[in-house]
Amino acid sequence: MADPEQQFLEHLDMLKRPVFVAKPGRGDREWIHPGGWSTLDASGNWDRIEQFVDGDALCVVLGGPVTVVDVDTKNGASIDAVRQLLAGLGVAVFAEVTTPSGGKHFYVAGHPDLPTVHAKQDRDGLRGYPGVEILAGGTNVFLPGTIRPKYNGAGYVIVLDNLAALVDGGDPDGADALAGWVAEHRVAQAETFTPTTPWDGAAPDARQQAYLDRALANTVQRISAMGPNSGRNQALYEGGLWCGNFIAGAGLDERFAIDTLMQAARACGLVDEDGEASCLTSIRSGIRNGRVRPRAVPEPRESSTTVDLAPVTQRDTPELEAPELSTDEPSRFAIRLLSRSALDSLPDPEPLIEGVLDQGTTALLYGKWGSGKSFIALDWAASVATERRWQGRTTQRRKVLYVAAEGAFGLKGRIQAWEAGWKATVADGQLDILPIPVNLTKWTDVHDLAGLIRERGYGFVVLDTLARCMVGADENSAKDTGVVVDHLNTLREATPDGRGVILGVHHTGKDGKTLRGSSAFEGGVDTVYQTCLDGGAIDLAREKRKDGPCEDRHRLHISPVDGTNSAIVSVHRGVDNSERADRILSIMSTHFWTTGASRTDLWKVAEEAGISYGTFTRALNDLLESGELVDEGTKSRKFFRLRDAQ
């Protein structure tokens, strides 16, 4: 790989943009992207790049600070016209790459409201600019180093590389100007209707709700059935535009609209092609633009075919007007149906922390004040962020977001102690702290947090504490807590492939023994753990697990770390057996760190150190039970390794 191409990759890595390798395809598929490419993070860039061989394609996942303006001259685009446009808007170009077809990739600053806009030979994406595409929000482009056989072996040529300046601060004014321009110039099929007054906040009546449900179902069904190169991205944007009209004018539920349109994007394969973040940005952009023209549900037509509903007989409840339902319109639930074979295709439960937390779940960790629950939550978070074993259990590396709703005070010392105590380093971008509460009863807060989770690809989110994340709600109300639990699941769905874990940290009630608030908390989540103080130890016990055995107990201790002002969570051994276990650990570290040891070899060294056989046996059992020592041998021949040396 040439030096300019290497430097280009280094700059993208500095911008924390994931880079991946695509393999040559067959037939109509020029390239085969690796599974899960849209959820990759930059931490594995160089490992993936090392797998690149001539004939492969290098790609970068865009979004965050980087967007590409793709000028496709073979589809009628003008490079000079785009240069003039960007200059007129005050948009800085940080890199310029000539494409194999003679077009250009202009790398500019990204913006959260800037959607991906596609264009084809027979369909413009931006009014007045044929062949110009905006590639943002999770989509991908080919990088220099890629050779395209379809263009007679031509590649991507770097003309300008000033991406380092984008690292240093970017171009927020230019990005905002471009986002506004794209919103105004994006091509959309015009619908003729007279804008109404903004929605007054009253819930839609039965007829109006039925109209909104059926119309949304028809839109989703149409998008779901679309194939490649048929304008799926544009249709998704126009679906958001339509929803925005009715959100502003008729009270269409925005969350339901977004979730339903995303289902359509998955069904038609657009998520696999452009990435979830790109699809979500298109929907949100359409909704934002649609809101400026509020639209009311039309009045019923006298000749309409209706379906009679049974009258409402509940006392003091007025009879509802029969909704206007077409007998041949599909149900909005049709797209959520699972056939028998589709059910089998669902992924099996997989652990985030082996035997503790399963992927794709919501969880609660609760206990009395001072019972170590926040220490344990942070220990889980840091272990997942670094892929360090937790109490001998394997973990899956995921990006972690810790919502410190009571403030970040003290977290600095705790993380420093964790790194020093476990001799591990939490890399930048693997564990992020949000030092403010997020109100889970407010859809705007939930929507914005879900957007952050999607954009950054967080696979483990901790909300510490739930009480600070539901201010104004009644914890004893099944209705209010039901909303919070529902929103926890909304956040989980925003994690990569919906397979992340959302953990809420909560308190006990006045009795100090049971979870505070409504039973809807425990009933609505998948996993529940409780912490209890027992003398100098913390008992961590699982009370609920939706799938798999429930029983899981740990006896833990908050151990100060020398040289820091904080502590870590370690195994509690008690006063009597702590010293003997530490002596065996010291022998393993000194003599057998890299090689491991059989029971016979370990006993020989322990005996020479003056340790009795009974003490040696008890210490060995303690260490195996705590997981600090791992037996890799057979039933007849034991062989031990230190957990942290594996």
Side-chain angles (χ1 to χ4, degrees):
M1 189 172 295
D3 289 342
E5 295 169 356
Q6 178 77 14
Q7 182 177 326
F8 202 80
L9 291 173
E10 290 173 355
H11 289 163
L12 290 171
D13 189 59
M14 292 165 64
L15 288 164
K16 301 188 183 304
R17 298 321 307 155
V19 175
F20 65 87
V21 176
K23 295 296 182 180
R26 294 180 179 178
D28 294 336
R29 296 189 65 183
E30 185 183 9
W31 304 100
I32 299 175
H33 288 18
W37 65 265
S38 63
T39 62
L40 295 173
D41 59 50
S43 62
N45 276 352
W46 296 108
D47 290 337
R48 292 189 290 270
I49 292 170
E50 286 182 0
Q51 305 302 314
F52 175 82
V53 297
D54 288 343
D56 290 346
L58 274 176
C59 305
V60 60
V61 182
L62 300 167
V66 188
T67 288
V68 166
V69 180
D70 183 1
V71 186
D72 189 353
T73 53
K74 72 179 185 349
N75 282 337
S78 167
I79 295 173
D80 289 340
V82 174
R83 286 191 197 277
Q84 292 173 14
L85 170 66
L86 297 177
L89 293 172
V91 177
V93 175
F94 292 91
E96 178 182 329
V97 175
T98 301
T99 68
S101 64
K104 291 287 184 182
H105 282 175
F106 292 115
Y107 285 71
V108 300
H111 191 282
D113 291 335
L114 192 59
T116 293
V117 180
H118 290 305
K120 299 297 179 185
Q121 189 171 10
D122 57 349
R123 188 188 70 252
D124 294 348
L126 297 167
R127 193 164 50 250
Y129 288 83
V132 177
E133 298 187 329
I134 305 295
L135 304 177
T139 189
N140 67 91
V141 296
F142 294 112
L143 289 174
T146 302
I147 300 300
R148 302 289 297 277
K150 66 184 291 185
Y151 295 112
N152 299 318
Y156 294 79
V157 179
I158 300 169
V159 178
L160 167 71
D161 179 7
N162 193 26
L163 288 175
L166 189 53
V167 177
D168 292 337
D171 178 28
D173 292 339
D176 190 62
L178 182 59
W181 184 90
V182 169
E184 294 175 0
H185 289 78
R186 185 164 190 175
V187 173
Q189 183 177 351
E191 282 199 80
T192 303
F193 67 90
T194 302
T196 187
T197 56
W199 178 49
D200 61 7
D205 63 28
R207 184 192 66 82
Q208 292 167 336
Q209 189 61 57
Y211 176 92
L212 294 172
D213 288 345
R214 294 298 185 266
L216 181 58
N218 287 338
T219 299
V220 167
Q221 186 182 48
R222 178 174 57 82
I223 297 172
S224 299
M226 297 178 73
N229 301 315
S230 61
R232 292 170 296 173
N233 179 277
Q234 183 65 22
L236 194 65
Y237 167 77
E238 291 180 3
L241 198 67
W242 178 92
C243 288
N245 297 151
F246 284 106
I247 288 167
L252 174 65
D253 186 285
E254 182 173 351
R255 175 194 165 198
F256 180 72
I258 292 172
D259 289 348
T260 307
L261 287 173
M262 282 300 297
Q263 288 291 333
R266 294 187 183 96
C268 73
L270 188 59
V271 167
D272 292 336
E273 183 173 311
D274 276 5
E276 186 164 301
S278 173
C279 294
L280 182 65
T281 305
S282 282
I283 294 169
R284 292 177 63 183
S285 176
I287 288 175
R288 183 192 63 183
N289 295 337
R291 282 179 179 275
V292 303
R293 300 184 70 215
R295 184 173 183 177
V297 172
E299 293 299 321
R301 299 185 303 272
E302 292 183 3
S303 60
S304 301
T305 301
T306 60
V307 176
D308 293 331
L309 296 183
V312 177
T313 57
Q314 196 172 6
R315 191 176 60 183
D316 299 328
T317 302
E319 184 172 332
L320 297 178
E321 179 185 355
E324 189 178 337
L325 302 177
S326 171
T327 56
D328 59 355
E329 287 181 337
S331 165
R332 65 184 173 92
F333 294 111
I335 63 170
R336 305 302 295 270
L337 292 174
L338 292 174
S339 66
R340 180 66 182 85
S341 58
L343 190 65
D344 282 341
S345 69
L346 293 177
D348 294 326
E350 296 179 4
L352 180 71
I353 301 175
E354 180 189 3
V356 178
L357 295 173
D358 294 321
Q359 296 183 44
T361 61
T362 55
L364 287 178
L365 170 64
Y366 79 97
K368 290 180 64 176
W369 180 88
S371 63
K373 57 185 180 293
S374 290
F375 273 97
I376 293 170
L378 186 62
D379 192 26
W380 282 346
S383 297
V384 169
T386 59
E387 209 172 3
R388 185 188 182 278
R389 288 173 176 262
W390 185 81
Q391 304 302 327
R393 314 285 185 90
T394 59
T395 62
Q396 299 298 317
R397 186 192 300 273
R398 296 291 185 270
K399 295 182 69 173
V400 180
L401 175 64
Y402 199 101
V403 180
E406 297 179 349
F409 182 78
L411 281 179
K412 173 183 175 181
R414 291 185 184 185
I415 292 177
Q416 288 176 339
W418 190 92
E419 291 180 316
W422 297 121
K423 297 179 176 59
T425 301
V426 179
D428 255 358
Q430 280 299 120
L431 172 56
D432 293 336
I433 310 297
L434 183 63
I436 56 174
V438 175
N439 197 321
L440 295 177
T441 67
K442 294 183 178 179
W443 173 238
T444 52
D445 277 23
V446 175
H447 187 266
D448 287 347
L449 182 58
L452 179 67
I453 292 169
R454 287 189 181 94
E455 178 185 337
R456 302 296 177 90
Y458 295 117
F460 186 29
V461 179
V462 180
L463 299 152
D464 186 7
T465 60
L466 272 184
R468 290 289 296 147
C469 288
M470 52 183 299
V471 173
D474 181 358
E475 291 183 358
N476 295 308
S477 163
K479 179 180 178 181
D480 286 1
T481 54
V483 169
V484 171
V485 170
D486 189 40
H487 285 167
L488 291 178
N489 279 290
T490 296
L491 298 179
R492 177 192 55 76
E493 290 172 0
T495 62
D497 296 325
R499 302 295 296 160
V501 174
I502 308 297
L503 171 70
V505 180
H506 201 37
H507 302 286
T508 55
K510 292 182 179 179
D511 62 2
K513 298 177 181 179
T514 57
L515 184 71
R516 191 172 82 189
S518 168
S519 60
F521 272 131
E522 288 181 285
V525 300
D526 302 296
T527 310
V528 180
Y529 275 91
Q530 182 184 18
T531 59
C532 292
L533 288 175
D534 181 14
I538 299 170
D539 281 335
L540 174 68
R542 184 162 56 205
E543 297 182 343
K544 177 184 179 182
R545 186 186 188 190
K546 185 177 179 180
D547 296 304
C550 179
E551 180 67 23
D552 186 42
R553 292 182 178 274
H554 304 268
R555 196 161 174 82
L556 306 172
H557 184 68
I558 304 298
S559 304
V561 177
D562 293 339
T564 73
N565 61 356
S566 192
I568 59 174
V569 177
S570 62
V571 175
H572 180 81
R573 303 194 190 98
V575 176
D576 295 334
N577 59 9
S578 178
E579 181 179 353
R580 71 188 181 207
D582 286 344
R583 293 180 70 187
I584 299 301
L585 283 178
S586 177
I587 291 172
M588 283 294 297
S589 299
T590 303
H591 298 275
F592 305 110
W593 175 266
T594 58
T595 62
S598 67
R599 183 186 176 98
T600 301
D601 292 338
L602 185 56
W603 162 238
K604 285 181 181 179
V605 179
E607 186 179 30
E608 292 173 0
I611 300 174
S612 70
Y613 186 75
T615 298
F616 167 76
T617 301
R618 288 191 293 273
L620 198 59
N621 290 336
D622 290 340
L623 292 170
L624 288 170
E625 183 178 351
S626 71
E628 292 170 280
L629 212 60
V630 179
D631 182 5
E632 295 184 345
T634 63
K635 187 175 181 180
S636 59
R637 185 178 184 276
K638 303 295 184 182
F639 191 84
F640 307 111
R641 288 189 186 274
L642 284 167
R643 175 185 61 193
D644 293 334
Q646 288 190 302

